[in-house]
Amino acid sequence: MSVPLVSVLLPVYNGEPYLAAAIESVLRQDHKHLDVIAIDDGSTDRSLNILQRYQVTDDRIRVVSRENRGLIATLNEGMTLAKGEFIARMDADDIAYPTRFSRQIALFRERPELAISGTGVDRLIGKRVVRGTPNPIHQSADWYILSLFYTVFMHSTVMYNRNVIPADMLTYDASYVHAEDFDLFRRISREFPAAMIDDSLVAYRVHDESVTNKHKRLMRRTHLAIAAENLQREALIDDPYALNDIGAAVTPDTVSRAADCLLSIEDRIAARGLRTSASHQEGLMCFFYFLYQLIADEKQPALTHQFLTQTGKWHTIRRRERYGLRAAAYAPWCSGLWSDASLRLDALARYRQSVPAKSVLPLQGLA
């Protein structure tokens, strides 16, 4: 059997602090037949210099540099340049573990009908790794149902199978800025089988300058617009505008409508006899937490209290959050104390779960 070519799509925009480690992790894969497409999207730091240095030493790297056009245009440009049977996504601030590509290729060889696969992730916080834990639902998931509610794969873990996905489908839609992966994954999983390797094969870096952190508000708005489209298409929603509106502004009215929307989805799933569907229940729970976090981030405990009371979901959040929220909702001066204490406890929990990152950060000093 011939060794398949994997095209690695690596968009780069001002990735200097972490780029060298990301490239090293790709070049050190145990699957060596690679075509690395590194597109510098008008960086103003030393990203291009780093890419060119690696291109000189490894002819598997192709570097494209031009003016800034944004992530979606860069991804689509990379798709057109890809030559491989498989296309692997990689972000300039993440780390791919050495067996990532070989494990995903083996899965496609075992199940050639698969169109897309993702993997589990560890989280990289500074120089420490918080180990990921497998989700049991992934072993029997209906990926299309899950993709109605949330982005089913971490973008930098994805590998696409071009033997299955039509070329005109394998493009990112510019209408869905900062949630283009959610849109593409839902379209693929609606038509073709998908799968997840539960083992963590990527270290996802958590830092303040990540796209997720810098564009959180717009990302959430786009996410809610996609979810509204999905649920409306499945006739699971009465008021799709409720999701768009809470994405635009969190107010007592939009919180009330979002809560009613969530309850309506639950009722319709129950009416269709799908209450026992693990994928529906997982999707609903993830969607609840998405809305809950969106509202909680406004740091107005009265609105979070309203949402939990109206949906009847106080039992789904942590005990310490219940106590803090109830106090802060009725004594506004407690709000800041509760929020700060909750953040400190979360940070402490992450620290206690973390372990030293030994060989996970290869040659990071070269950047």
Side-chain angles (χ1 to χ4, degrees):
M1 182 180 295
S2 62
V3 178
L5 176 65
V6 176
S7 288
V8 184
L9 179 48
L10 177 65
V12 180
Y13 177 70
N14 289 347
E16 179 181 347
Y18 313 115
L19 180 56
I23 295 174
E24 290 280 352
S25 76
V26 170
L27 299 180
R28 293 184 176 189
Q29 290 291 302
D30 60 6
H31 182 88
K32 301 299 184 184
H33 196 195
L34 304 176
D35 169 35
V36 183
I37 305 162
I39 302 180
D40 174 52
D41 186 31
S43 295
T44 57
D45 62 4
R46 295 178 57 250
S47 292
L48 180 58
N49 292 336
I50 294 169
L51 292 174
Q52 290 173 334
R53 190 177 72 219
Y54 278 98
Q55 184 181 33
V56 168
T57 61
D58 197 315
D59 61 8
R60 294 177 296 175
I61 299 176
R62 286 190 282 162
V63 176
V64 176
S65 182
R66 40 123 176 103
E67 77 284 356
N68 180 264
R69 299 178 190 170
L71 178 59
I72 294 177
T74 301
L75 290 171
N76 285 334
E77 182 177 355
M79 289 290 195
T80 64
L81 295 173
K83 301 175 181 177
E85 182 179 348
F86 303 105
I87 298 178
R89 271 285 288 113
M90 184 65 194
D91 284 336
D93 51 359
D94 293 342
I95 302 290
Y97 294 164
T99 62
R100 178 198 159 185
F101 296 163
S102 61
R103 291 281 302 277
Q104 290 183 288
I105 291 168
L107 178 62
F108 284 126
R109 290 296 188 237
E110 179 184 345
R111 299 179 57 190
E113 78 280 4
L114 291 177
I116 181 175
S117 78
T119 82
V121 298
D122 294 333
R123 279 172 169 75
L124 185 55
I125 304 173
K127 293 185 178 181
R128 292 186 172 273
V129 174
V130 179
R131 300 299 183 189
T133 55
N135 186 339
I137 188 66
H138 292 161
Q139 299 307 310
S140 58
D142 183 327
W143 291 101
Y144 171 59
I145 297 302
L146 294 180
S147 74
L148 298 176
F149 298 96
Y150 65 94
T151 309
V152 289
F153 304 119
M154 193 71 77
H155 204 176
S156 59
T157 74
V158 162
M159 185 178 285
Y160 302 106
N161 184 357
R162 299 176 86 182
N163 298 313
V164 174
I165 306 173
D168 60 352
M169 177 181 283
L170 203 50
T171 59
Y172 294 88
D173 191 330
S175 303
Y176 300 107
V177 178
H178 300 309
E180 67 285 336
D181 50 348
F182 185 11
D183 167 63
L184 180 55
F185 300 165
R186 67 163 173 172
R187 287 188 279 121
I188 292 174
S189 60
R190 187 164 65 232
E191 301 291 336
F192 304 105
M196 167 78 86
I197 298 173
D198 263 339
D199 294 339
S200 296
L201 299 179
V202 170
Y204 170 77
R205 194 183 299 272
V206 179
H207 60 96
D208 291 341
E209 294 302 308
S210 68
V211 172
T212 301
N213 281 327
K214 290 179 68 175
H215 303 286
K216 183 180 291 185
R217 189 174 294 273
L218 178 55
M219 184 181 295
R220 284 172 166 173
R221 290 186 64 176
T222 309
H223 183 107
L224 287 168
I226 294 171
E229 292 174 3
N230 294 340
L231 296 166
Q232 188 172 29
R233 185 175 57 250
E234 296 295 312
L236 287 173
I237 194 171
D238 291 318
D239 181 12
Y241 297 106
L243 300 182
N244 292 306
D245 291 347
I246 197 169
V250 179
T251 67
D253 175 64
T254 59
V255 168
S256 178
R257 289 170 59 206
D260 284 342
C261 182
L262 191 68
L263 293 172
S264 173
I265 297 168
E266 291 181 335
D267 289 343
R268 293 194 179 197
I269 286 174
R272 296 180 189 180
L274 300 172
R275 192 186 293 277
T276 59
S277 163
S279 294
H280 280 91
Q281 294 309 310
E282 175 77 3
L284 268 173
M285 186 55 63
C286 289
F287 195 55
F288 158 76
Y289 275 114
F290 182 90
L291 290 170
Y292 167 70
Q293 194 61 60
L294 169 72
I295 297 166
D297 280 355
E298 295 297 310
K299 293 182 171 54
Q300 298 184 54
L303 295 180
T304 310
H305 187 284
Q306 174 191 345
F307 179 69
L308 292 170
T309 300
Q310 193 169 336
T311 57
K313 293 194 180 300
W314 280 98
H315 63 285
T316 62
I317 65 172
R318 294 170 292 186
R319 183 179 301 175
R320 67 175 167 83
E321 288 181 288
R322 295 178 218 167
Y323 292 151
L325 267 171
R326 283 170 172 150
Y330 294 107
W333 61 271
C334 289
S335 175
L337 295 176
W338 164 72
S339 178
D340 290 344
S342 185
L343 289 172
R344 285 197 300 271
L345 286 169
D346 285 342
L348 180 61
R350 286 196 299 268
Y351 177 80
R352 286 176 173 171
Q353 293 177 52
S354 64
V355 297
K358 297 178 181 177
S359 60
V360 176
L361 299 174
L363 302 181
Q364 58 181 339
L366 290 181

